[in-house]
Amino acid sequence: MRILGGRPGREYESAFWEAVYPLYDEAFPGLSARIGMAARIGCHWADCTTPFTVWDGDRVVGHVGLLVHPVRLCGKDVDVAGIHAVCTTASHRRRGIARTLLAAALEHAESNGLTLAKLHTDDPEVYESNGFRRQGTFRWRARGPRAQVERRPLRPLRKPQDAALLADLLGRRALVSDRLGTRDSGWLVTTDAALSGIIEWGLWHLPEHDAIIALLEDEGDVLIAEVIAERLPPAEVVLGAT
């Protein structure tokens, strides 16, 4: 087996990614199709990630991705290493492949000045031995007045004008939080929207407020996943749009 990676994803030929996608789809069914959705509106996976892979012959059996995520963190603008798409094919698990790739990715990040790394996982104990610490995530239930709000579904995959509107607002949006808010130019939000499916059915345009709101449904609750606007609308507008 051999390790290949550590260069920006755009520097690899299409054959490299065609070998990676089957592993993605084994670990995260449908991921390659979702990556294709994001690419249709200009957000190309290979432009955003630095891949680290293990090959067994001509087959990719392990992968760890690294991206540079600009954020506002506790009032300061910083770049954070984002670890993502960690996976090993079933036949090669428990051989230390993920640990080896994680070490390579984190070493690469540190050598490029990224001293803080983050990831999202349903199995945090797997990563604690690699130096990660659990951080709690929270949801808040909102109560209060709801304004009458005009909204329309945004369909960036079907309508070029909607894709252009989304890109424009992402390019000039306000931070949703000074404590922890993304500063990416829109590629991360758009890619996440494609991966979650929000891009197909969960984006709503509020014309009167020059805003886009992203909504999810979870166990009967409506979750506000994102508010995209140059000037954030009042709370009663956001609630009214749900």
Side-chain angles (χ1 to χ4, degrees):
M1 291 192 291
R2 60 193 175 96
I3 296 177
L4 180 62
R7 306 199 323 264
R10 68 178 69 90
E11 295 185 6
Y12 294 91
E13 297 181 355
S14 59
F16 171 88
W17 289 107
E18 289 169 4
V20 172
Y21 285 163
L23 174 61
Y24 280 174
D25 287 334
E26 177 189 340
F28 314 104
L31 178 57
S32 63
R34 297 291 182 180
I35 290 172
M37 285 184 183
R40 283 164 53 190
I41 53 175
C43 293
H44 298 277
W45 183 272
D47 290 343
C48 305
T49 185
T50 296
F52 295 81
T53 56
V54 168
W55 295 65
D56 189 351
D58 59 358
R59 181 187 178 199
V60 179
V61 297
H63 173 276
V64 169
L66 171 68
L67 54 84
V68 180
H69 185 189
V71 301
R72 178 73 56 80
L73 182 62
C74 296
K76 296 181 179 180
D77 290 343
V78 298
D79 289 340
V80 176
I83 301 295
H84 69 104
V86 179
C87 49
T88 305
T89 193
S91 61
H92 288 64
R93 290 173 187 164
R94 300 187 182 280
R95 302 188 190 182
I97 290 175
R99 180 180 294 275
T100 297
L101 292 176
L102 274 170
L106 292 172
E107 181 180 353
H108 180 87
E110 188 170 4
S111 68
N112 284 274
L114 302 173
T115 57
L116 180 65
K118 66 177 178 67
L119 58 83
H120 298 274
T121 178
D122 294 328
D123 301 304
E125 62 278 357
V126 173
Y127 298 93
E128 288 176 328
S129 61
N130 291 279
F132 287 90
R133 292 183 297 173
R134 300 189 195 207
Q135 297 294 322
T137 56
F138 303 91
R139 293 179 180 177
W140 287 267
R141 291 188 178 274
R143 294 183 177 88
R146 294 172 179 261
Q148 289 290 112
V149 178
E150 176 191 354
R151 70 173 193 173
R152 70 170 184 89
L154 202 71
R155 298 290 185 260
L157 293 176
R158 305 177 192 175
K159 300 179 179 180
Q161 64 270 30
D162 282 359
L165 174 61
L166 176 61
D168 175 57
L169 274 177
L170 282 169
R172 53 189 174 90
R173 65 180 162 165
L175 288 170
V176 297
S177 172
D178 196 53
R179 185 172 180 83
L180 177 58
T182 182
R183 295 188 298 111
D184 76 279
S185 59
W187 56 266
L188 184 56
V189 170
T190 303
T191 301
D192 281 347
L195 299 187
S196 67
I198 287 179
I199 203 164
E200 297 180 281
W201 44 259
L203 295 177
W204 296 86
H205 181 218
L206 315 183
E208 295 180 3
H209 301 277
D210 194 24
I212 294 170
I213 185 169
L215 302 176
L216 282 169
E217 291 188 10
D218 183 38
E219 297 181 355
D221 290 330
V222 177
L223 305 181
I224 301 168
E226 192 80 47
V227 179
I228 303 166
E230 187 171 10
R231 183 173 182 175
L232 296 175
E236 58 266 26
V237 170
V238 175
L239 291 175
T242 65

